[in-house]
Amino acid sequence: MIPLLEVDALQVVYPGPRDLWGRSRNTVNAVNGVSLTVAPGEALGLVGESGCGKTTLGRAILRLVEASSGRVLFQGEDWLQLSPSELRGRRRHAQMIFQDPNSSLNPRLTVGASLGEALEIHHLANGRAGRLARIRELLAWVGLPEGSEKRYPHEFSGGQRQRIGIARALAVEPKLIVCDEPVSALDVSVQAQIVNLLQELQGARRLAYLFISHDLAVVEHLCARIAVMYLGRLVEVGPARDVCRTPAHPYTQALVSAVPQLHSDGVPRIQLRGDPPSPVTPPSGCPFHPRCPVAEARCRTERPLLRVIGQDRQVACHLAV
Ligand code: SF4
């Protein structure tokens, strides 16, 4: 199947910390040569500890931050080569849902006005009556009560505000939604409702998701495939069930073993040592070697490349088979 989204060797480099004179001598590779694909209607989970670069990757795909090199092919067209006006015309095809829904909602606008604004910009509804009908339809899709369009964001609970954020993303009929930790700020019971809503919408609208989360259990529930990120690079990619039940990379094993719902007797229990290293001065060889319980001498000098180890599975570890 032709991918909806194809990311090829994407790199995002930031200037490193500045000295007293405001000079920056180092650079930070926030995203370091990441390649991945998302098929139409597919949910790909992107997991890793905070600071691993997953949010930057999601934002770089949508050009909310600028990539330094690589390609982002959306339906075959490289979005990194588009001019600002060309990009504005394409934006509705790929939307973002944020951890804090308030970032996409204007507190001074009613929910109806916020949604109507998106419809108007992209000419997606005819006249006032058509716009109101569409707004009511969107709010019903995401399970908000009648009359919600007349209320302001602060009148809703956190879970309801996230539903409004989803409605706003859906308003422009996207093909892909980048979901950046969309449930991590919500209560556990509300998290399940939002995840189920995203799952229903995916089936009903053939939406593709890049679902960014640190919660492997949620990602396994929602996504067909999982990509695991460490220090700006992908270290394992594969079908969600395989990655969670038989993780091949020691880092994935550690993430899985920290989730009681996921780890089984077949998965070795691994406790991660220390914090992730600084991306300003990444370790030589395998970037995971200072924390890896099975590291060998060559891990300190040779960087393992992402390689195929089974059907649809790729792992960046010298020892993975
Ligand atoms: Fe551990 Fe070596 Fe594999 Fe890196 S390459 S994950 S250090 S065993």
Side-chain angles (χ1 to χ4, degrees):
M1 189 186 292
I2 298 172
L4 175 68
L5 172 73
E6 186 175 357
V7 175
D8 179 26
L10 195 70
Q11 194 125 16
V12 180
V13 180
Y14 293 130
R18 295 181 186 280
D19 62 18
L20 279 177
W21 295 271
R23 292 172 307 199
S24 175
R25 293 181 193 282
N26 297 311
T27 54
V28 177
N29 286 305
V31 176
N32 203 344
V34 169
S35 299
L36 54 81
T37 58
V38 182
E42 184 191 27
L44 173 70
L46 185 61
V47 299
E49 291 164 289
S50 66
C52 71
K54 51 192 193 308
T55 292
T56 306
L57 173 59
R59 287 171 179 257
I61 287 170
L62 299 184
R63 279 191 64 184
L64 300 177
V65 298
E66 287 298 332
S68 313
S69 62
R71 296 189 306 161
V72 174
L73 302 174
F74 192 86
Q75 296 183 305
E77 181 178 51
D78 190 353
W79 276 26
L80 301 191
Q81 302 303 323
L82 297 178
S83 67
S85 66
E86 288 170 330
L87 185 63
R88 268 195 298 280
R90 311 296 196 280
R91 276 230 184 271
R92 56 172 279 230
H93 299 305
Q95 291 288 301
M96 190 153 189
I97 299 173
F98 300 89
Q99 177 179 357
D100 176 7
N102 292 327
S103 1
S104 60
L105 297 172
N106 184 336
R108 285 187 293 273
L109 292 183
T110 61
V111 168
S114 273
L115 265 55
E117 194 179 57
L119 294 172
E120 209 171 319
I121 290 170
H122 296 282
H123 313 290
L124 288 170
N126 288 330
R128 263 182 87 165
R131 208 158 44 238
L132 184 59
R134 178 77 177 140
I135 290 165
R136 287 179 173 159
E137 184 182 37
L138 286 162
L139 293 172
W141 279 353
V142 298
L144 284 168
E146 270 181 41
S148 295
E149 72 277 6
K150 298 184 198 125
R151 294 161 60 191
Y152 288 87
H154 73 266
E155 297 177 55
F156 294 88
S157 68
Q160 286 177 321
R161 276 202 291 273
Q162 195 51 288
R163 287 175 190 268
I164 300 167
I166 295 170
R168 196 172 197 283
L170 290 176
V172 292
E173 299 167 14
K175 295 183 169 69
L176 170 78
I177 300 185
V178 175
C179 308
D180 186 12
E181 301 272 10
V183 296
S184 58
L186 304 175
D187 292 344
V188 176
S189 59
V190 182
Q191 283 187 6
Q193 292 168 15
I194 297 293
V195 168
N196 290 340
L197 171 65
L198 289 170
Q199 204 161 29
E200 279 166 29
L201 292 170
Q202 183 197 10
R205 325 246 137 242
R206 207 161 178 253
L207 275 171
Y209 295 134
L210 178 64
F211 191 89
I212 299 169
S213 177
H214 64 276
D215 189 334
L216 255 180
V218 168
V219 171
E220 198 218 11
H221 179 76
L222 183 73
C223 301
R225 287 190 305 131
I226 293 180
V228 183
M229 202 164 174
Y230 186 77
L231 221 60
R233 297 180 192 274
L234 295 187
V235 296
E236 181 159 2
V237 185
R241 192 172 169 78
D242 297 348
V243 170
C244 290
R245 304 295 147 169
T246 55
H249 194 284
Y251 177 60
T252 318
Q253 290 168 4
L255 294 181
V256 170
S257 69
V259 184
Q261 304 97 298
L262 290 182
H263 66 69
S264 63
D265 291 342
V267 178
R269 307 289 156 87
I270 296 178
Q271 189 118 36
L272 275 178
R273 293 191 305 239
D275 294 325
S278 163
V280 181
T281 49
S284 59
C286 173
F288 187 57
H289 86 254
R291 304 172 83 194
C292 181
V294 291
E296 297 182 338
R298 68 169 168 158
C299 301
R300 285 183 259 285
T301 52
E302 277 177 51
R303 185 168 68 79
L305 300 176
L306 204 59
R307 61 188 167 83
V308 175
I309 61 155
Q311 199 170 7
D312 299 327
R313 281 192 87 172
Q314 293 169 284
V315 179
C317 171
H318 295 310
L319 307 189
V321 285

